Short mmCIF file of all heavy atoms in Angstrom, two decimals:
data_model
loop_
_atom_site.label_atom_id
_atom_site.label_comp_id
_atom_site.label_asym_id
_atom_site.label_seq_id
_atom_site.Cartn_x
_atom_site.Cartn_y
_atom_site.Cartn_z
N ASP A 1 0.79 -1.23 0.00
CA ASP A 1 0.00 0.00 0.00
C ASP A 1 0.83 1.28 0.00
O ASP A 1 0.27 2.37 -0.01
CB ASP A 1 -0.95 0.00 1.21
CG ASP A 1 -1.99 -1.11 1.12
OD1 ASP A 1 -2.49 -1.33 0.01
OD2 ASP A 1 -2.27 -1.75 2.13
N GLY A 2 2.14 1.19 0.02
CA GLY A 2 2.96 2.39 -0.01
C GLY A 2 4.41 2.09 0.27
O GLY A 2 4.84 2.06 1.42
N VAL A 3 5.21 1.86 -0.80
CA VAL A 3 6.62 1.51 -0.65
C VAL A 3 7.47 2.68 -1.11
O VAL A 3 7.30 3.18 -2.23
CB VAL A 3 6.98 0.25 -1.44
CG1 VAL A 3 8.47 -0.07 -1.30
CG2 VAL A 3 6.14 -0.94 -0.98
N THR A 4 8.39 3.13 -0.26
CA THR A 4 9.31 4.21 -0.58
C THR A 4 10.73 3.75 -0.33
O THR A 4 11.02 3.15 0.70
CB THR A 4 9.01 5.46 0.28
OG1 THR A 4 7.69 5.92 0.00
CG2 THR A 4 9.99 6.58 -0.02
N LEU A 5 11.61 4.01 -1.29
CA LEU A 5 13.03 3.71 -1.13
C LEU A 5 13.77 4.97 -0.71
O LEU A 5 13.72 5.98 -1.43
CB LEU A 5 13.63 3.16 -2.43
CG LEU A 5 13.14 1.79 -2.90
CD1 LEU A 5 13.79 1.41 -4.22
CD2 LEU A 5 13.41 0.72 -1.85
N GLY A 6 14.43 4.92 0.44
CA GLY A 6 15.16 6.09 0.92
C GLY A 6 14.22 7.25 1.14
O GLY A 6 13.19 7.14 1.82
N ASP A 7 14.56 8.40 0.53
CA ASP A 7 13.74 9.60 0.68
C ASP A 7 12.85 9.85 -0.52
O ASP A 7 12.32 10.95 -0.70
CB ASP A 7 14.63 10.80 0.95
CG ASP A 7 15.26 10.75 2.35
OD1 ASP A 7 14.49 10.69 3.33
OD2 ASP A 7 16.50 10.71 2.45
N GLY A 8 12.70 8.85 -1.40
CA GLY A 8 11.66 8.89 -2.42
C GLY A 8 11.98 9.54 -3.74
O GLY A 8 11.07 9.80 -4.53
N ILE A 9 13.24 9.80 -4.04
CA ILE A 9 13.56 10.46 -5.30
C ILE A 9 13.26 9.56 -6.50
O ILE A 9 12.93 10.03 -7.59
CB ILE A 9 15.04 10.92 -5.33
CG1 ILE A 9 15.29 11.81 -6.55
CG2 ILE A 9 15.98 9.73 -5.30
CD1 ILE A 9 16.68 12.42 -6.59
N VAL A 10 13.33 8.24 -6.30
CA VAL A 10 13.06 7.29 -7.37
C VAL A 10 11.73 6.58 -7.15
O VAL A 10 10.88 6.53 -8.03
CB VAL A 10 14.20 6.25 -7.49
CG1 VAL A 10 13.79 5.07 -8.34
CG2 VAL A 10 15.44 6.92 -8.07
N MET A 11 11.54 6.00 -5.98
CA MET A 11 10.30 5.30 -5.66
C MET A 11 9.65 5.94 -4.44
O MET A 11 10.25 5.98 -3.37
CB MET A 11 10.56 3.80 -5.40
CG MET A 11 9.30 3.01 -5.07
SD MET A 11 9.60 1.21 -4.96
CE MET A 11 9.90 0.83 -6.69
N ASN A 12 8.43 6.45 -4.63
CA ASN A 12 7.75 7.17 -3.57
C ASN A 12 6.30 6.72 -3.48
O ASN A 12 5.50 6.95 -4.38
CB ASN A 12 7.82 8.68 -3.83
CG ASN A 12 7.27 9.50 -2.68
OD1 ASN A 12 7.37 9.10 -1.52
ND2 ASN A 12 6.67 10.63 -2.99
N ASN A 13 5.96 6.03 -2.39
CA ASN A 13 4.59 5.58 -2.13
C ASN A 13 4.03 4.68 -3.23
O ASN A 13 2.84 4.74 -3.57
CB ASN A 13 3.64 6.77 -1.92
CG ASN A 13 3.84 7.44 -0.58
OD1 ASN A 13 4.08 6.78 0.42
ND2 ASN A 13 3.76 8.76 -0.56
N TYR A 14 4.89 3.82 -3.80
CA TYR A 14 4.40 2.86 -4.80
C TYR A 14 3.42 1.88 -4.16
O TYR A 14 3.61 1.44 -3.03
CB TYR A 14 5.57 2.09 -5.41
CG TYR A 14 5.11 0.90 -6.22
CD1 TYR A 14 4.70 1.06 -7.54
CD2 TYR A 14 5.05 -0.39 -5.66
CE1 TYR A 14 4.24 -0.02 -8.28
CE2 TYR A 14 4.59 -1.47 -6.39
CZ TYR A 14 4.19 -1.28 -7.70
OH TYR A 14 3.73 -2.35 -8.41
N ARG A 15 2.38 1.53 -4.88
CA ARG A 15 1.44 0.52 -4.41
C ARG A 15 1.00 -0.36 -5.58
O ARG A 15 0.94 0.10 -6.73
CB ARG A 15 0.21 1.15 -3.76
CG ARG A 15 -0.66 1.99 -4.67
CD ARG A 15 -1.73 2.71 -3.87
NE ARG A 15 -2.60 3.53 -4.71
CZ ARG A 15 -3.83 3.16 -5.09
NH1 ARG A 15 -4.30 1.97 -4.74
NH2 ARG A 15 -4.58 3.95 -5.83
N ASN A 16 0.72 -1.61 -5.28
CA ASN A 16 0.28 -2.54 -6.32
C ASN A 16 -1.21 -2.84 -6.22
O ASN A 16 -1.68 -3.85 -6.75
CB ASN A 16 1.08 -3.84 -6.26
CG ASN A 16 0.84 -4.63 -4.97
OD1 ASN A 16 0.07 -4.21 -4.10
ND2 ASN A 16 1.50 -5.77 -4.84
N THR A 17 -1.96 -1.98 -5.55
CA THR A 17 -3.39 -2.18 -5.34
C THR A 17 -4.23 -1.24 -6.20
O THR A 17 -5.40 -0.99 -5.90
CB THR A 17 -3.75 -1.98 -3.86
OG1 THR A 17 -3.30 -0.67 -3.44
CG2 THR A 17 -3.09 -3.03 -3.00
N LEU A 18 -3.64 -0.73 -7.28
CA LEU A 18 -4.34 0.27 -8.10
C LEU A 18 -5.61 -0.31 -8.72
O LEU A 18 -6.62 0.39 -8.82
CB LEU A 18 -3.39 0.76 -9.20
CG LEU A 18 -3.76 2.07 -9.91
CD1 LEU A 18 -3.78 3.22 -8.93
CD2 LEU A 18 -2.79 2.35 -11.04
N ASP A 19 -5.58 -1.57 -9.14
CA ASP A 19 -6.74 -2.19 -9.78
C ASP A 19 -7.48 -3.14 -8.86
O ASP A 19 -8.30 -3.95 -9.30
CB ASP A 19 -6.29 -2.95 -11.04
CG ASP A 19 -5.70 -2.04 -12.08
OD1 ASP A 19 -6.28 -0.97 -12.32
OD2 ASP A 19 -4.64 -2.38 -12.65
N TYR A 20 -7.18 -3.09 -7.56
CA TYR A 20 -7.86 -3.92 -6.58
C TYR A 20 -9.33 -3.48 -6.47
O TYR A 20 -9.61 -2.29 -6.51
CB TYR A 20 -7.15 -3.77 -5.23
CG TYR A 20 -7.83 -4.42 -4.06
CD1 TYR A 20 -7.58 -5.74 -3.76
CD2 TYR A 20 -8.74 -3.71 -3.28
CE1 TYR A 20 -8.21 -6.34 -2.68
CE2 TYR A 20 -9.38 -4.30 -2.21
CZ TYR A 20 -9.11 -5.62 -1.91
OH TYR A 20 -9.74 -6.21 -0.85
N PRO A 21 -10.32 -4.38 -6.40
CA PRO A 21 -10.17 -5.83 -6.22
C PRO A 21 -10.30 -6.65 -7.50
O PRO A 21 -10.26 -7.86 -7.45
CB PRO A 21 -11.32 -6.16 -5.29
CG PRO A 21 -12.41 -5.22 -5.74
CD PRO A 21 -11.72 -3.96 -6.17
N VAL A 22 -10.52 -5.98 -8.68
CA VAL A 22 -10.68 -6.75 -9.91
C VAL A 22 -9.41 -7.55 -10.19
O VAL A 22 -9.45 -8.72 -10.55
CB VAL A 22 -10.99 -5.81 -11.09
CG1 VAL A 22 -11.07 -6.59 -12.39
CG2 VAL A 22 -12.31 -5.07 -10.83
N ILE A 23 -8.27 -6.89 -10.02
CA ILE A 23 -6.97 -7.55 -10.19
C ILE A 23 -6.22 -7.46 -8.87
O ILE A 23 -6.02 -6.37 -8.34
CB ILE A 23 -6.15 -6.89 -11.31
CG1 ILE A 23 -6.88 -7.02 -12.65
CG2 ILE A 23 -4.77 -7.53 -11.40
CD1 ILE A 23 -6.19 -6.29 -13.78
N LYS A 24 -5.82 -8.59 -8.35
CA LYS A 24 -5.03 -8.63 -7.12
C LYS A 24 -3.61 -9.04 -7.46
O LYS A 24 -3.38 -10.05 -8.13
CB LYS A 24 -5.63 -9.62 -6.12
CG LYS A 24 -6.93 -9.15 -5.49
CD LYS A 24 -7.37 -10.07 -4.38
CE LYS A 24 -8.62 -9.56 -3.70
NZ LYS A 24 -9.04 -10.44 -2.56
N GLN A 25 -2.66 -8.24 -7.01
CA GLN A 25 -1.26 -8.52 -7.27
C GLN A 25 -0.57 -8.98 -5.99
O GLN A 25 -0.94 -8.57 -4.89
CB GLN A 25 -0.56 -7.28 -7.83
CG GLN A 25 -1.16 -6.81 -9.16
CD GLN A 25 -0.40 -5.65 -9.75
OE1 GLN A 25 0.40 -4.99 -9.09
NE2 GLN A 25 -0.64 -5.38 -11.02
N THR A 26 0.43 -9.82 -6.16
CA THR A 26 1.17 -10.35 -5.03
C THR A 26 2.57 -9.75 -5.03
O THR A 26 3.43 -10.13 -5.83
CB THR A 26 1.27 -11.88 -5.09
OG1 THR A 26 -0.06 -12.44 -5.15
CG2 THR A 26 1.99 -12.43 -3.87
N GLY A 27 2.79 -8.77 -4.19
CA GLY A 27 4.08 -8.11 -4.10
C GLY A 27 4.87 -8.58 -2.90
O GLY A 27 4.37 -9.30 -2.03
N LEU A 28 6.11 -8.16 -2.85
CA LEU A 28 7.00 -8.52 -1.74
C LEU A 28 7.78 -7.29 -1.32
O LEU A 28 8.36 -6.58 -2.15
CB LEU A 28 7.97 -9.63 -2.15
CG LEU A 28 9.02 -10.03 -1.13
CD1 LEU A 28 8.37 -10.66 0.10
CD2 LEU A 28 10.03 -11.00 -1.73
N ASP A 29 7.79 -7.02 -0.03
CA ASP A 29 8.54 -5.90 0.54
C ASP A 29 9.32 -6.43 1.74
O ASP A 29 8.72 -7.01 2.66
CB ASP A 29 7.59 -4.78 0.96
CG ASP A 29 8.31 -3.52 1.40
OD1 ASP A 29 9.46 -3.33 0.96
OD2 ASP A 29 7.74 -2.74 2.19
N ILE A 30 10.64 -6.27 1.73
CA ILE A 30 11.46 -6.81 2.82
C ILE A 30 12.47 -5.77 3.29
O ILE A 30 12.78 -4.81 2.58
CB ILE A 30 12.22 -8.08 2.40
CG1 ILE A 30 13.22 -7.76 1.27
CG2 ILE A 30 11.26 -9.18 1.97
CD1 ILE A 30 14.14 -8.90 0.94
N ALA A 31 12.96 -5.94 4.49
CA ALA A 31 14.02 -5.09 5.03
C ALA A 31 14.82 -5.88 6.06
O ALA A 31 14.25 -6.60 6.88
CB ALA A 31 13.44 -3.83 5.67
N VAL A 32 16.12 -5.76 5.96
CA VAL A 32 17.05 -6.35 6.93
C VAL A 32 17.94 -5.22 7.41
O VAL A 32 18.49 -4.47 6.59
CB VAL A 32 17.89 -7.48 6.30
CG1 VAL A 32 18.86 -8.05 7.31
CG2 VAL A 32 16.99 -8.57 5.75
N GLY A 33 18.11 -5.06 8.70
CA GLY A 33 18.89 -3.93 9.18
C GLY A 33 19.57 -4.14 10.51
O GLY A 33 19.47 -5.21 11.12
N ASN A 34 20.28 -3.08 10.92
CA ASN A 34 20.96 -3.05 12.22
C ASN A 34 21.96 -4.19 12.38
O ASN A 34 22.08 -4.81 13.43
CB ASN A 34 19.92 -3.08 13.35
CG ASN A 34 18.94 -1.92 13.24
OD1 ASN A 34 19.31 -0.77 13.38
ND2 ASN A 34 17.69 -2.24 12.96
N ILE A 35 22.69 -4.47 11.28
CA ILE A 35 23.73 -5.50 11.30
C ILE A 35 25.07 -4.83 11.62
O ILE A 35 25.47 -3.89 10.94
CB ILE A 35 23.81 -6.22 9.95
CG1 ILE A 35 22.45 -6.84 9.60
CG2 ILE A 35 24.89 -7.28 9.96
CD1 ILE A 35 22.38 -7.44 8.23
N THR A 36 25.75 -5.29 12.63
CA THR A 36 27.02 -4.75 13.15
C THR A 36 26.80 -3.34 13.68
O THR A 36 25.70 -2.76 13.58
CB THR A 36 28.13 -4.74 12.08
OG1 THR A 36 27.93 -3.67 11.16
CG2 THR A 36 28.19 -6.06 11.34
N ASP A 37 27.84 -2.75 14.21
CA ASP A 37 27.75 -1.39 14.77
C ASP A 37 27.55 -0.33 13.70
O ASP A 37 27.19 0.81 14.01
CB ASP A 37 29.01 -1.08 15.58
CG ASP A 37 29.12 -1.93 16.83
OD1 ASP A 37 28.05 -2.39 17.31
OD2 ASP A 37 30.26 -2.16 17.31
N MET A 38 27.82 -0.69 12.43
CA MET A 38 27.63 0.28 11.35
C MET A 38 26.19 0.29 10.84
O MET A 38 25.88 1.01 9.89
CB MET A 38 28.58 -0.06 10.19
CG MET A 38 30.04 0.15 10.52
SD MET A 38 31.12 -0.34 9.15
CE MET A 38 30.59 0.80 7.88
N ASN A 39 25.33 -0.47 11.48
CA ASN A 39 23.91 -0.50 11.12
C ASN A 39 23.70 -0.79 9.63
O ASN A 39 22.91 -0.12 8.95
CB ASN A 39 23.23 0.81 11.50
CG ASN A 39 23.23 1.05 12.99
OD1 ASN A 39 23.08 0.11 13.77
ND2 ASN A 39 23.43 2.29 13.40
N ILE A 40 24.43 -1.76 9.11
CA ILE A 40 24.28 -2.14 7.71
C ILE A 40 22.91 -2.78 7.51
O ILE A 40 22.42 -3.56 8.33
CB ILE A 40 25.38 -3.13 7.30
CG1 ILE A 40 26.76 -2.47 7.45
CG2 ILE A 40 25.18 -3.62 5.88
CD1 ILE A 40 27.91 -3.41 7.20
#
C-alpha cells in the first residue's frame, strides 16, 4: 500500500493495489537492518 526507497527520489509511495479488487497482485517488501555497529 505504499513503498518508498530512501527519501523517495526514485520510488515514492508505490502501491500494487491500483486495480484492486478486480486484479489482485502479489508483491514482496522486505528489510534487513541493524547489522554490526555500522547498522548495515
Side-chain angles (χ1 to χ4, degrees):
D1 295 319
V3 178
T4 298
L5 293 178
D7 290 302
I9 189 174
V10 166
M11 180 173 290
N12 186 32
N13 286 322
Y14 168 83
R15 64 187 180 101
N16 65 0
T17 56
L18 197 62
D19 297 316
Y20 172 87
V22 177
I23 298 175
K24 288 188 177 182
Q25 299 184 345
T26 303
L28 176 65
D29 187 26
I30 63 171
V32 179
N34 303 294
I35 302 174
T36 77
D37 292 335
M38 293 177 62
N39 296 323
I40 298 174

